Amino acid sequence: MVNVAIIGAKGYAGKELVRLCLRHPEIRLVALTDLVEQPQPVSEQFPEFRGLTELMIEPTDVDRISTQAEAIFLALPHRVSQEYVAPFIHTGRRVFDLSADFRFTRIETYEQTYAIEHKEKELAKKAVYGLAEFNRNKIKDAQLIAVPGCYPTGALLGILPIVRAGVRLDSPIIVDAKSGVSGAGRKPTETTHFPECNESIMAYAVGHHRHQPEIEEKIHEAGGENARDVRLIFTPHLIPMTRGILSTIYLSLAEEVAEQDIARIFQEHYGGEFFIRLLPAGKFPTTKAVTYTNFCDIGWKKVAEHLLIVITAIDNLVKGASGQAVQCFNICYGFPEQTGLV
Ligand SMILES: NC(=O)c1ccc[n+]([C@@H]2O[C@H](COP(=O)([O-])OP(=O)(O)OC[C@H]3O[C@@H](n4cnc5c(N)ncnc54)[C@H](OP(=O)(O)O)[C@@H]3O)[C@@H](O)[C@H]2O)c1
């Protein structure tokens, strides 16, 4: 059993972590904290935990948590996360950070994208990007795991097999993605407030969403020389459902690639992956089929000689955040990857 603490337990990703950790047979949940002044039962914040746990959400006391827990899940906003990661790492704890703070290889890209200076540059170099299906060998021995963003997870799981296989792509890669409203966190805003977003669909942050550079960096790293100049157009949409992301990805093939070769590439990458479900030819994913699961469903079709469309569906709070964090936790501690996730 591993003693675990969740920081940011009052938010949506934190809540999902509580749900997953409570049913995980190898996790003993010992502390939940957030930006609260007085301790309060987690079941008061989230009534669905009534009868399942007596744990309180408490103020965040790093020293106390470090003595109680061996593994720390951080579900805090970017910028804030940096402040907490360092002290936990320095006391030897293992940290799974759900924010964007440690996801970038190029710190300059992070600083430009989030318009802040990174305060933990040395630490950032040690972080491992927690895209489990592509990075498990590094995740296994890492002390700091940067859990990928929700949109990047949906996009990269569709794109990376093709890029890794050395298929040359023409610019741009186009990702048209639709997310449920929980992707924006728990606090409603003018655009995420129910009467504003219900029965409506809108594109937002067109051409400058903060996940675009994250997706682009990982494509360039995976594809090496072949992908160095490939640009990404990423258009996110807010749609009136609670959870889920559907990503429709347009890949312009710079060379002739036969359908059976595409099928072989996906099969070679994902044939042995429990959490990736490749759909039969002619079938395409739905967010409903992956809700509350850690699965990523993938369908694809070549629609012209040089155009491949790949469609992925994930639950943004599970495979796109907390479930993927638990998958990384399982890899780090040597538990089967499905533990607590099925
Ligand atoms: N939602 C998703 O689908 C998703 C997917 C992937 C990754 N993520 C990432 O996961 C992180 C959490 O996202 P979320 O959607 O759960 O957001 P959220 O619902 O807004 O929750 C964030 C939590 O952090 C707390 N917090 C803010 N400032 C704090 C501070 N200085 N000290 C301690 N706690 C503080 C907030 O408390 P207050 O409410 O009191 O401010 C809130 O409980 C973010 O970095 C996000 O980018 C989210």
Side-chain angles (χ1 to χ4, degrees):
M1 292 284 262
V2 182
N3 287 350
V4 162
I6 298 169
I7 320 296
K10 214 155 60 73
Y12 278 161
K15 173 190 176 186
E16 198 63 23
L17 281 164
V18 175
R19 181 178 79 83
L20 294 170
C21 288
L22 282 176
R23 62 184 212 184
H24 194 295
E26 303 292 347
I27 285 179
R28 186 184 296 112
L29 207 44
V30 293
L32 305 178
T33 81
D34 211 311
L35 199 60
V36 293
E37 281 171 15
Q38 295 299 325
Q40 51 179 262
V42 65
S43 55
E44 222 166 74
Q45 273 293 326
F46 302 118
E48 46 272 68
F49 296 134
R50 274 188 206 133
L52 296 179
T53 177
E54 303 286 303
L55 278 169
M56 311 284 276
I57 302 180
E58 300 179 77
T60 306
D61 175 341
V62 172
D63 293 336
R64 185 176 54 78
I65 296 163
S66 293
T67 61
Q68 290 177 304
E70 179 184 335
I72 317 289
F73 288 106
L74 285 175
L76 296 172
H78 62 275
R79 289 185 186 90
V80 180
S81 228
Q82 288 183 40
E83 294 165 28
Y84 289 95
V85 168
F88 283 125
I89 290 290
H90 294 142
T91 53
R93 306 300 96 178
R94 193 171 238 153
V95 175
F96 301 84
D97 179 30
L98 276 73
S99 86
D101 283 348
F102 294 90
R103 291 182 196 150
F104 287 80
T105 309
R106 280 191 81 249
I107 301 299
E108 301 82 353
T109 310
Y110 170 85
E111 291 183 329
Q112 279 159 16
T113 305
Y114 290 87
I116 47 164
E117 189 195 340
H118 204 298
K119 296 273 169 50
E120 298 292 342
K121 294 190 175 67
E122 284 310 305
L123 205 51
K125 286 183 196 157
K126 294 185 189 152
V128 168
Y129 194 65
L131 193 66
E133 281 73 17
F134 286 87
N135 244 358
R136 58 170 62 84
N137 284 341
K138 289 185 181 160
I139 293 168
K140 187 162 54 76
D141 300 316
Q143 192 189 353
L144 172 55
I145 290 90
V147 182
C150 47
Y151 280 127
T153 299
L156 291 170
L157 289 174
I159 297 167
L160 289 196
I162 301 295
V163 170
R164 274 253 182 121
V167 174
R168 284 189 304 108
L169 298 173
D170 281 331
S171 258
I173 292 173
I174 298 173
V175 177
D176 174 310
K178 286 126 189 134
S179 172
V181 187
S182 63
R186 197 173 181 199
K187 278 211 181 93
T189 64
E190 218 169 87
T191 44
T192 62
H193 186 40
F194 181 81
E196 304 292 336
C197 65
N198 185 42
E199 293 178 34
S200 185
I201 175 164
M202 63 174 267
Y204 65 102
V206 177
H208 62 90
H209 191 277
R210 60 191 194 182
H211 284 160
Q212 176 160 335
E214 180 182 334
I215 301 168
E216 226 167 30
E217 179 180 88
K218 306 310 168 194
I219 290 171
H220 293 164
E221 287 175 359
E225 200 53 31
N226 263 354
R228 207 187 48 197
D229 297 324
V230 177
R231 299 270 75 84
L232 176 77
I233 293 178
F234 171 62
T235 309
H237 299 76
L238 187 69
I239 63 167
M241 62 185 190
T242 303
R243 14 196 332 151
I245 293 179
L246 190 83
S247 304
T248 305
I249 302 159
Y250 300 83
L251 298 170
S252 223
L253 305 168
E255 58 193 318
E256 178 63 45
V257 187
E259 289 217 358
Q260 61 265 37
D261 290 327
I262 306 282
R264 180 183 48 73
I265 287 168
F266 276 115
Q267 192 56 36
E268 274 176 13
H269 275 273
Y270 290 144
E273 294 292 348
F274 182 81
F275 287 120
I276 307 290
R277 298 190 297 200
L278 292 174
L279 304 189
K283 299 275 183 200
F284 298 97
T286 64
T287 54
K288 203 179 253 314
V290 296
T291 303
Y292 283 99
T293 80
N294 199 50
F295 288 113
C296 173
D297 283 359
I298 301 181
W300 59 271
K301 188 174 172 66
K302 245 186 100 181
V303 292
E305 202 177 324
H306 286 107
L307 184 59
L308 171 65
I309 298 180
V310 182
I311 303 177
T312 70
I314 58 169
D315 183 319
N316 56 297
L317 289 171
V318 189
K319 185 63 172 165
S322 309
Q324 183 147 244
V326 171
Q327 191 180 354
C328 290
F329 168 94
N330 288 337
I331 293 170
C332 288
Y333 287 93
F335 303 127
E337 276 180 46
Q338 297 97 310
T339 312
L341 290 171
V342 285

